Every structure is written in structure tokens, then in C-alpha cells.
Amino acid sequence: MQIAVLGIDLGKNSCSAVGLDKAGRVVLRRRLSRHSLIKLATQMPSCVMAMEACCGAHHLGRVLRAHGHHVRLMPPEYVQPYVKAQKNDERDAEAIAEAATRPTMRFVDLKSEDQFDMQTLHRARSRLVSERTALVNQLRAVLLERGITVAQGRRRLARYLTQALDADDTEGTQLSSRIRVLIEDMRAQWHDLDQRIAAFDIEFAAAARSEESARRLSTIPGIGAINATALVASLAMRGALLGHATFPPGSALCRDRRPPAADLGCSASPRWQQCAPC
């Protein structure tokens, strides 16, 4: 039994694997744990290991590549058209194996551990920003329910709270003593979140100065240290980042960016013309 392509449908605890030979016939169907899958891979000759680019796929891909296999990761939406009949784990694995053999398939490059570390830091910062936004919105709701409106912006709200909690402030007297204590506690949480977010920002700025691709991205107007490090972490091939990487049409990073439609004499069209394929 010579397996040319092994399609793997990843699960939290177990995986479904379907092997195809060079002719595309199914020669293996097996359900096994991740540990057993790695053990199976060590016993197999070098072949193509195909997976969807989902949670845990990059780590497993690096392990399989270390054992001499060729790893191919694909976006799940590109695999979906190859699923036959009703969806289940085995049919998903077979669809993954079949999709990996298509000559026009677009694959996702494996990310390094450093990139995943940076991406994890960005996700942690994003969570803190969401928590801060929710806290600020709740503060505004507490004030609005008591007939107090504050202009938009975190700084304006922070200045108002400083004044409102002053005993001599007229509007501050509209707040009961218990609500004033609650707002003080929420302000303390807000201050703590600001400090934690600022610590991430300092770390990203240092990373942008030390990483060449991020440093060059930072020179683009509108792309600061946070966006630059996020882009470097999101794109698997660092060399591709500054060369043939494909970015959304009309974005600041697309090399075929065109002038606004109004400058081209178009009245009812998007602000940016559709870019040619990068």
C-alpha cells in the first residue's frame, strides 16, 4: 500500500485520515488520536500530508514536516466543494486529500513558532481592547440612565468622571454614594486595562524595530508598529511579505493601487478600482 496523499480532518481529540494512492484511489481510512497520527506518520514513507488551515494545524504540520513529509494546508472554504454527499469526518478527510491534488489549489504556508507567539500577543491585546470598550460603554450607560450625557471619546469621558466624582460638582451630586463607589471601581479597572494595553504596545514597537519586514512595513503611511507586527505574524512567508504576497484589492499594501474613481471619470463606482491580480 503506497500512500501518495494523506488527508487529515483535525478534531479536538481525534482525527480522521484518508489515504490516496498515486491514481487517486482510497487505500486507507482510519480514525485515530493526534498522538497515534504522529506515530503513524513516522512509520510511513514521505508523502503529502494535507489538512485544513485550522486551530492546531500549523503545529501538527511542523511536526509532520520534521518527519520528512510534505505538508499542505488549505483554507476550509476551498475544501468545501470537494465534500461528497452528507458531511462527516471521513468524507471531510477524503475531500481534503482530493483538494490537495488539484493543480490550481492555493495553499497556506506553515507559520513559525515566533509568528504564532506574536499572533497570540495580538489576540491577547485585542481581548483587552474589547474589555475596555465594553467597560467604557457600561460607564456611559450608567451615566445616561441618570440623565448624564458625555461627549464621545474616552478622554472626554475620563475628564468628566474626574469632575463628576468631585463632591462640589453639580452633576456629580446626581450620583448616589453607592454608584460613585461603583464608578471608582470601574475607573480602576479602566486604568489597569490601559496599562496592560500600553505594555503590549511597547512590546510591539520593540519587535517592529528589531524585525526587518515589520520595520519596512512601518515606513508605509498608516501602518504603525501594531499593524506591521500583526501583518508579519499573519503571513507565513516573511520573504513573500515584501514581494509577491497578495493583499486585498485597493488596500494600502496592494502594489497595483489605483486613483479614486472620481479621478478616472467614474461617477457610481467604488472609491478604488479593482486591482489586477498581484
Side-chain angles (χ1 to χ4, degrees), residues 112 114-115 118 203-219 225 228-233 235-239 241-242:
S112 65
D114 290 340
Q115 286 177 286
M118 181 59 67
E203 186 173 359
F204 294 149
R209 289 192 297 267
S210 61
E211 215 285 334
E212 181 184 358
S213 296
R215 187 167 58 250
R216 295 177 64 183
L217 279 171
S218 299
T219 63
T229 52
L231 283 168
V232 171
L235 297 177
M237 293 182 64
R238 305 260 177 134
L241 180 59
L242 302 176

Side-chain angles (χ1 to χ4, degrees), residues 98-241:
E98 184 177 349
T101 63
R102 299 298 93 190
T104 58
M105 179 58 62
R106 293 185 178 182
F107 298 105
V108 178
D109 295 302
L110 283 176
K111 295 180 182 178
S112 65
E113 291 187 15
D114 290 340
Q115 286 177 286
F116 261 109
D117 289 347
M118 181 59 67
Q119 197 171 52
T120 301
L121 293 177
H122 274 280
R123 289 171 178 170
R125 181 188 181 277
S126 178
R127 174 180 55 82
L128 294 177
V129 171
S130 298
E131 291 179 7
R132 183 177 64 182
T133 302
L135 184 63
V136 170
N137 289 340
Q138 188 176 30
L139 273 168
R140 289 184 176 278
V142 170
L143 296 175
L144 186 59
E145 287 173 346
R146 286 152 183 82
I148 302 173
T149 59
V150 184
Q152 291 184 353
R154 293 198 312 272
R155 293 182 180 179
R156 291 190 178 96
L157 179 61
R159 285 197 301 267
Y160 175 80
L161 291 177
T162 301
Q163 299 171 359
L165 295 177
D166 187 348
D168 297 333
D169 184 74
T170 304
E171 288 190 345
T173 58
Q174 300 180 30
L175 302 174
S176 65
S177 59
R178 183 64 186 91
I179 294 302
R180 291 163 69 90
V181 172
L182 174 64
I183 291 178
E184 282 286 8
D185 180 66
M186 296 174 72
R187 287 180 66 196
Q189 296 180 44
W190 184 355
H191 179 67
D192 179 63
L193 288 172
D194 281 341
Q195 289 184 323
R196 296 170 67 184
I197 293 171
F200 276 118
D201 293 344
I202 294 173
E203 186 173 359
F204 294 149
R209 289 192 297 267
S210 61
E211 215 285 334
E212 181 184 358
S213 296
R215 187 167 58 250
R216 295 177 64 183
L217 279 171
S218 299
T219 63
I220 301 176
I223 303 295
I226 295 177
N227 289 333
T229 52
L231 283 168
V232 171
S234 299
L235 297 177
M237 293 182 64
R238 305 260 177 134
L241 180 59

